[in-house]
Amino acid sequence: MATMDSGAARQGPGADGPVSGEHEHTPDGAGPAAPPPPPQTALTDAGELLRALGAPVRIAVVLQLRHGPRCVHELVDALDVTQPLISQHLRVLKSAGIVQGQRRGREVVYHLVDDHLAHIVVDAVAHVQEDVRAQ
């Protein structure tokens, strides 16, 4: 334990964990112990989710939808891509559970199912922009 609560004194070396500056290690001394991995189904589902976010147009769609619901023609105008291409990417995002569509008259308005996904996309874009600025 690197720090102690309320300035409590130790009752002997290593009494409640590693001494300041030390880290808990695996029995073979290979480094800090890692938590057990999530179940395989969770890893598979996360991989599918990330794969669905893996196209630049789909990333752009998520970035647009994080500001609020949009219909197809608004996405077409904002992203300067064709309607069939937007519709194709929306189908992928919808089947992955990233977006939902709601019919309003003749239009379908799309929105993000969960804001967590927008954070993933925003963080990924910010990360690559930091790498570009650092070069």
Side-chain angles (χ1 to χ4, degrees):
M1 191 182 313
T3 61
M4 291 195 226
D5 297 337
S6 311
R10 277 192 193 270
Q11 298 181 3
D16 27 45
V19 179
S20 180
E22 291 182 345
H23 301 283
E24 292 184 34
H25 290 275
T26 56
D28 65 1
Q40 187 62 42
T41 56
L43 296 173
T44 300
D45 291 348
E48 291 299 319
L49 181 67
L50 292 172
R51 192 175 352 273
L53 292 170
V57 172
R58 293 194 288 268
I59 290 170
V61 167
V62 170
L63 291 173
Q64 286 291 311
L65 295 179
R66 78 187 185 108
H67 296 291
R70 303 280 191 271
C71 59
V72 173
H73 76 83
E74 291 173 312
L75 293 169
V76 166
D77 293 344
L79 303 177
D80 196 29
V81 294
T82 65
Q83 183 273 323
L85 185 59
I86 287 291
S87 294
Q88 176 185 353
H89 286 292
L90 284 168
R91 274 192 298 277
V92 172
L93 293 170
K94 189 174 176 183
S95 71
I98 296 169
V99 303
Q100 285 182 337
Q102 203 170 12
R103 183 161 293 283
R104 290 192 189 156
R106 295 176 53 196
E107 295 183 321
V108 177
V109 178
Y110 290 90
H111 63 91
L112 292 175
V113 170
D114 188 325
D115 285 339
H116 290 102
L117 299 169
H119 293 293
I120 292 169
V121 171
V122 168
D123 287 348
V125 171
H127 175 73
V128 297
Q129 288 178 326
E130 288 171 1
D131 286 349
V132 169
R133 285 190 294 259
Q135 293 177 357

PDB file of all heavy atoms in Angstrom, residues 1-6 8 10 14-24:
ATOM      1  N   MET A   1       0.854  -1.168   0.000  1.00  0.00           N
ATOM      2  CA  MET A   1       0.000   0.000   0.000  1.00  0.00           C
ATOM      3  C   MET A   1       0.894   1.223   0.000  1.00  0.00           C
ATOM      4  O   MET A   1       1.728   1.378   0.870  1.00  0.00           O
ATOM      5  CB  MET A   1      -0.885  -0.072   1.246  1.00  0.00           C
ATOM      6  CG  MET A   1      -1.991   0.926   1.222  1.00  0.00           C
ATOM      7  SD  MET A   1      -3.012   0.907   2.703  1.00  0.00           S
ATOM      8  CE  MET A   1      -3.348  -0.792   2.987  1.00  0.00           C
ATOM      9  N   ALA A   2       0.750   2.120  -0.936  1.00  0.00           N
ATOM     10  CA  ALA A   2       1.638   3.272  -1.074  1.00  0.00           C
ATOM     11  C   ALA A   2       1.312   4.370  -0.082  1.00  0.00           C
ATOM     12  O   ALA A   2       2.195   5.057   0.373  1.00  0.00           O
ATOM     13  CB  ALA A   2       1.572   3.815  -2.498  1.00  0.00           C
ATOM     14  N   THR A   3       0.058   4.553   0.271  1.00  0.00           N
ATOM     15  CA  THR A   3      -0.323   5.582   1.226  1.00  0.00           C
ATOM     16  C   THR A   3      -1.237   4.972   2.264  1.00  0.00           C
ATOM     17  O   THR A   3      -1.817   3.918   2.055  1.00  0.00           O
ATOM     18  CB  THR A   3      -1.071   6.748   0.544  1.00  0.00           C
ATOM     19  OG1 THR A   3      -2.250   6.239  -0.040  1.00  0.00           O
ATOM     20  CG2 THR A   3      -0.206   7.428  -0.487  1.00  0.00           C
ATOM     21  N   MET A   4      -1.353   5.644   3.402  1.00  0.00           N
ATOM     22  CA  MET A   4      -2.219   5.137   4.452  1.00  0.00           C
ATOM     23  C   MET A   4      -3.286   6.150   4.774  1.00  0.00           C
ATOM     24  O   MET A   4      -3.053   7.338   4.699  1.00  0.00           O
ATOM     25  CB  MET A   4      -1.403   4.851   5.701  1.00  0.00           C
ATOM     26  CG  MET A   4      -0.481   3.687   5.532  1.00  0.00           C
ATOM     27  SD  MET A   4       0.085   3.193   7.129  1.00  0.00           S
ATOM     28  CE  MET A   4       1.801   3.030   6.778  1.00  0.00           C
ATOM     29  N   ASP A   5      -4.452   5.665   5.169  1.00  0.00           N
ATOM     30  CA  ASP A   5      -5.548   6.532   5.557  1.00  0.00           C
ATOM     31  C   ASP A   5      -5.287   7.142   6.918  1.00  0.00           C
ATOM     32  O   ASP A   5      -4.794   6.480   7.821  1.00  0.00           O
ATOM     33  CB  ASP A   5      -6.863   5.739   5.616  1.00  0.00           C
ATOM     34  CG  ASP A   5      -7.249   5.185   4.263  1.00  0.00           C
ATOM     35  OD1 ASP A   5      -6.784   5.737   3.251  1.00  0.00           O
ATOM     36  OD2 ASP A   5      -8.011   4.207   4.238  1.00  0.00           O
ATOM     37  N   SER A   6      -5.629   8.401   7.094  1.00  0.00           N
ATOM     38  CA  SER A   6      -5.600   9.109   8.373  1.00  0.00           C
ATOM     39  C   SER A   6      -4.262   9.040   9.073  1.00  0.00           C
ATOM     40  O   SER A   6      -4.191   9.094  10.293  1.00  0.00           O
ATOM     41  CB  SER A   6      -6.674   8.559   9.321  1.00  0.00           C
ATOM     42  OG  SER A   6      -7.902   8.478   8.683  1.00  0.00           O
ATOM     43  N   ALA A   8      -2.395   6.543   9.790  1.00  0.00           N
ATOM     44  CA  ALA A   8      -2.262   5.379  10.668  1.00  0.00           C
ATOM     45  C   ALA A   8      -0.866   4.797  10.558  1.00  0.00           C
ATOM     46  O   ALA A   8      -0.267   4.755   9.501  1.00  0.00           O
ATOM     47  CB  ALA A   8      -3.308   4.329  10.293  1.00  0.00           C
ATOM     48  N   ARG A  10       2.005   1.776  10.761  1.00  0.00           N
ATOM     49  CA  ARG A  10       2.116   0.348  10.466  1.00  0.00           C
ATOM     50  C   ARG A  10       2.456  -0.404  11.736  1.00  0.00           C
ATOM     51  O   ARG A  10       3.141   0.103  12.598  1.00  0.00           O
ATOM     52  CB  ARG A  10       3.229   0.104   9.450  1.00  0.00           C
ATOM     53  CG  ARG A  10       2.803   0.308   8.059  1.00  0.00           C
ATOM     54  CD  ARG A  10       3.909  -0.246   7.165  1.00  0.00           C
ATOM     55  NE  ARG A  10       3.684   0.189   5.828  1.00  0.00           N
ATOM     56  CZ  ARG A  10       2.947  -0.503   4.961  1.00  0.00           C
ATOM     57  NH1 ARG A  10       2.425  -1.643   5.292  1.00  0.00           N
ATOM     58  NH2 ARG A  10       2.751  -0.041   3.760  1.00  0.00           N
ATOM     59  N   GLY A  14       5.421  -4.485   6.292  1.00  0.00           N
ATOM     60  CA  GLY A  14       4.540  -5.250   5.410  1.00  0.00           C
ATOM     61  C   GLY A  14       3.272  -5.736   6.084  1.00  0.00           C
ATOM     62  O   GLY A  14       2.620  -6.629   5.583  1.00  0.00           O
ATOM     63  N   ALA A  15       2.892  -5.169   7.215  1.00  0.00           N
ATOM     64  CA  ALA A  15       1.748  -5.663   7.967  1.00  0.00           C
ATOM     65  C   ALA A  15       0.449  -5.594   7.175  1.00  0.00           C
ATOM     66  O   ALA A  15      -0.375  -6.489   7.280  1.00  0.00           O
ATOM     67  CB  ALA A  15       1.596  -4.876   9.270  1.00  0.00           C
ATOM     68  N   ASP A  16       0.239  -4.532   6.406  1.00  0.00           N
ATOM     69  CA  ASP A  16      -0.989  -4.501   5.610  1.00  0.00           C
ATOM     70  C   ASP A  16      -0.717  -4.312   4.137  1.00  0.00           C
ATOM     71  O   ASP A  16      -1.349  -3.551   3.467  1.00  0.00           O
ATOM     72  CB  ASP A  16      -2.021  -3.471   6.089  1.00  0.00           C
ATOM     73  CG  ASP A  16      -1.486  -2.264   6.817  1.00  0.00           C
ATOM     74  OD1 ASP A  16      -0.496  -1.672   6.376  1.00  0.00           O
ATOM     75  OD2 ASP A  16      -2.091  -1.937   7.841  1.00  0.00           O
ATOM     76  N   GLY A  17       0.231  -5.033   3.626  1.00  0.00           N
ATOM     77  CA  GLY A  17       0.493  -4.986   2.196  1.00  0.00           C
ATOM     78  C   GLY A  17       1.908  -4.525   1.929  1.00  0.00           C
ATOM     79  O   GLY A  17       2.724  -4.394   2.836  1.00  0.00           O
ATOM     80  N   PRO A  18       2.192  -4.256   0.673  1.00  0.00           N
ATOM     81  CA  PRO A  18       3.534  -3.835   0.298  1.00  0.00           C
ATOM     82  C   PRO A  18       3.916  -2.519   0.963  1.00  0.00           C
ATOM     83  O   PRO A  18       3.076  -1.670   1.230  1.00  0.00           O
ATOM     84  CB  PRO A  18       3.459  -3.664  -1.222  1.00  0.00           C
ATOM     85  CG  PRO A  18       2.252  -4.429  -1.637  1.00  0.00           C
ATOM     86  CD  PRO A  18       1.327  -4.413  -0.469  1.00  0.00           C
ATOM     87  N   VAL A  19       5.200  -2.360   1.223  1.00  0.00           N
ATOM     88  CA  VAL A  19       5.729  -1.128   1.788  1.00  0.00           C
ATOM     89  C   VAL A  19       5.668  -0.053   0.719  1.00  0.00           C
ATOM     90  O   VAL A  19       5.683  -0.341  -0.470  1.00  0.00           O
ATOM     91  CB  VAL A  19       7.193  -1.358   2.258  1.00  0.00           C
ATOM     92  CG1 VAL A  19       7.789  -0.092   2.824  1.00  0.00           C
ATOM     93  CG2 VAL A  19       7.247  -2.478   3.267  1.00  0.00           C
ATOM     94  N   SER A  20       5.590   1.202   1.138  1.00  0.00           N
ATOM     95  CA  SER A  20       5.524   2.321   0.205  1.00  0.00           C
ATOM     96  C   SER A  20       6.560   2.162  -0.897  1.00  0.00           C
ATOM     97  O   SER A  20       7.725   1.899  -0.624  1.00  0.00           O
ATOM     98  CB  SER A  20       5.732   3.633   0.960  1.00  0.00           C
ATOM     99  OG  SER A  20       5.677   4.700   0.064  1.00  0.00           O
ATOM    100  N   GLY A  21       6.101   2.323  -2.155  1.00  0.00           N
ATOM    101  CA  GLY A  21       7.001   2.200  -3.294  1.00  0.00           C
ATOM    102  C   GLY A  21       6.991   0.812  -3.895  1.00  0.00           C
ATOM    103  O   GLY A  21       7.455   0.607  -4.990  1.00  0.00           O
ATOM    104  N   GLU A  22       6.499  -0.179  -3.166  1.00  0.00           N
ATOM    105  CA  GLU A  22       6.429  -1.538  -3.683  1.00  0.00           C
ATOM    106  C   GLU A  22       5.077  -1.748  -4.346  1.00  0.00           C
ATOM    107  O   GLU A  22       4.114  -1.049  -4.067  1.00  0.00           O
ATOM    108  CB  GLU A  22       6.578  -2.565  -2.563  1.00  0.00           C
ATOM    109  CG  GLU A  22       7.952  -2.614  -1.951  1.00  0.00           C
ATOM    110  CD  GLU A  22       8.044  -3.687  -0.873  1.00  0.00           C
ATOM    111  OE1 GLU A  22       7.009  -4.189  -0.414  1.00  0.00           O
ATOM    112  OE2 GLU A  22       9.160  -4.009  -0.506  1.00  0.00           O
ATOM    113  N   HIS A  23       5.001  -2.738  -5.226  1.00  0.00           N
ATOM    114  CA  HIS A  23       3.757  -3.091  -5.898  1.00  0.00           C
ATOM    115  C   HIS A  23       3.470  -4.549  -5.638  1.00  0.00           C
ATOM    116  O   HIS A  23       4.385  -5.353  -5.467  1.00  0.00           O
ATOM    117  CB  HIS A  23       3.863  -2.874  -7.421  1.00  0.00           C
ATOM    118  CG  HIS A  23       4.179  -1.457  -7.788  1.00  0.00           C
ATOM    119  ND1 HIS A  23       3.233  -0.468  -7.762  1.00  0.00           N
ATOM    120  CD2 HIS A  23       5.329  -0.868  -8.180  1.00  0.00           C
ATOM    121  CE1 HIS A  23       3.787   0.675  -8.119  1.00  0.00           C
ATOM    122  NE2 HIS A  23       5.062   0.459  -8.373  1.00  0.00           N
ATOM    123  N   GLU A  24       2.198  -4.900  -5.625  1.00  0.00           N
ATOM    124  CA  GLU A  24       1.851  -6.304  -5.508  1.00  0.00           C
ATOM    125  C   GLU A  24       2.231  -6.991  -6.802  1.00  0.00           C
ATOM    126  O   GLU A  24       1.981  -6.489  -7.885  1.00  0.00           O
ATOM    127  CB  GLU A  24       0.357  -6.461  -5.241  1.00  0.00           C
ATOM    128  CG  GLU A  24      -0.047  -5.941  -3.878  1.00  0.00           C
ATOM    129  CD  GLU A  24      -1.503  -6.183  -3.590  1.00  0.00           C
ATOM    130  OE1 GLU A  24      -2.040  -7.218  -4.037  1.00  0.00           O
ATOM    131  OE2 GLU A  24      -2.103  -5.339  -2.918  1.00  0.00           O
TER     132      GLU A  24
END
